[in-house]
């Protein structure tokens, strides 16, 4: 914001939950069960995060690779690590490369081996496959989209199976 007044208005929009945030996430789908329930309809998760109410909606977009699903995630609340916790704990499908809430080590098949094995580009261990892709604040006519990070191409996450 260029002015203090507009900054205050934007902060108020977030505080009153008028801002709509959408994330794109690559989730490691469970291999020990049928994942049809994860890939059919929108999945609403209403589980507390750090003892505070938290609500997320996961929408399946496509499968890429053997065990990776791309999802759009709508945040109905805005808790720290909300998407990561809901994906890992409620869905059993952690965010790809998330070493905090995902499996240790994060075994996601050929994509990771290609990069960390004999690949020519290393992935920063602080990175994981969760991206703030859309922000909308209708009262201020804000509607922006952010392209997926270029390094996701290295993981072959931008192509459909």
């Amino acid at each position: 914001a260029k002015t203090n007044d507009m900054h205050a208005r934007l902060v108020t929009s977030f505080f009153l939950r008028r801002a709509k945030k959408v994330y794109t996430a690559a989730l490691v789908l469970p291999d020990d069960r049928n994942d049809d329930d994860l890939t059919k309809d929108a999945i609403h998760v209403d589980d507390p995060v750090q003892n505070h109410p938290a609500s997320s909606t996961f929408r399946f977009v496509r499968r890429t690779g053997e065990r990776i699903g791309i999802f759009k995630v709508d945040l109905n609340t805005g808790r720290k690590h909300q998407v990561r916790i809901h994906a890992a704990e409620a869905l059993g499908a952690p965010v790809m490369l998330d070493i905090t809430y995902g499996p240790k080590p994060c075994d996601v098949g050929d994509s990771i081996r290609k990069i960390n094995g004999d690949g020519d580009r290393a992935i920063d261990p602080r990175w994981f496959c969760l991206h703030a892709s859309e922000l909308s604040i209708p009262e201020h006519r804000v509607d922006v989209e952010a392209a997926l990070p270029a390094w996701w191409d290295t993981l072959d996450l931008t192509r459909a199976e």
Side-chain angles (χ1 to χ4, degrees):
K2 292 184 178 182
T3 66
N4 288 338
D5 179 56
M6 182 51 78
H7 178 261
R9 289 179 191 202
L10 290 171
V11 168
T12 300
S13 294
F14 278 91
F15 180 77
L16 295 175
R17 301 192 201 293
R18 293 180 185 145
K20 181 181 181 204
K21 298 170 274 185
V22 178
Y23 287 79
T24 301
L27 304 184
V28 181
L29 302 174
D31 61 353
D32 61 344
R33 71 174 196 199
N34 184 337
D35 59 39
D36 284 346
D37 57 330
L38 292 177
T39 60
K40 284 192 177 180
D41 297 318
I43 303 163
H44 303 284
V45 178
D46 289 311
D47 289 350
V49 170
Q50 300 162 347
N51 298 318
H52 295 286
S55 176
S56 306
T57 303
F58 290 78
R59 293 176 284 123
F60 178 75
V61 176
R62 69 180 180 281
R63 180 184 291 276
T64 179
E66 188 175 312
R67 293 183 50 212
I68 306 301
I70 305 297
F71 288 78
K72 290 287 187 177
V73 186
D74 298 302
L75 294 184
N76 306 315
T77 56
R79 306 290 177 212
K80 184 176 182 182
H81 299 187
Q82 175 177 323
V83 174
R84 297 165 66 191
I85 292 169
H86 280 174
E89 295 178 5
L91 301 183
V95 173
M96 184 175 172
L97 300 178
D98 186 353
I99 61 174
T100 302
Y101 297 103
K104 297 163 185 49
C106 188
D107 178 20
V108 293
D110 292 336
S111 293
I112 300 305
R113 281 190 283 280
K114 179 168 42 175
I115 292 168
N116 292 334
D118 59 345
D120 60 348
R121 182 172 176 193
I123 294 297
D124 187 313
R126 296 169 295 178
W127 293 351
F128 45 90
C129 296
L130 179 64
H131 174 66
S133 53
E134 300 172 34
L135 175 65
S136 175
I137 311 172
E139 67 192 88
H140 299 296
R141 294 183 298 238
V142 172
D143 192 17
V144 294
E145 290 187 30
L148 292 173
W151 67 268
W152 281 38
D153 291 337
T154 309
L155 300 174
D156 293 329
L157 295 178
T158 55
R159 66 175 171 78
E161 276 296 301

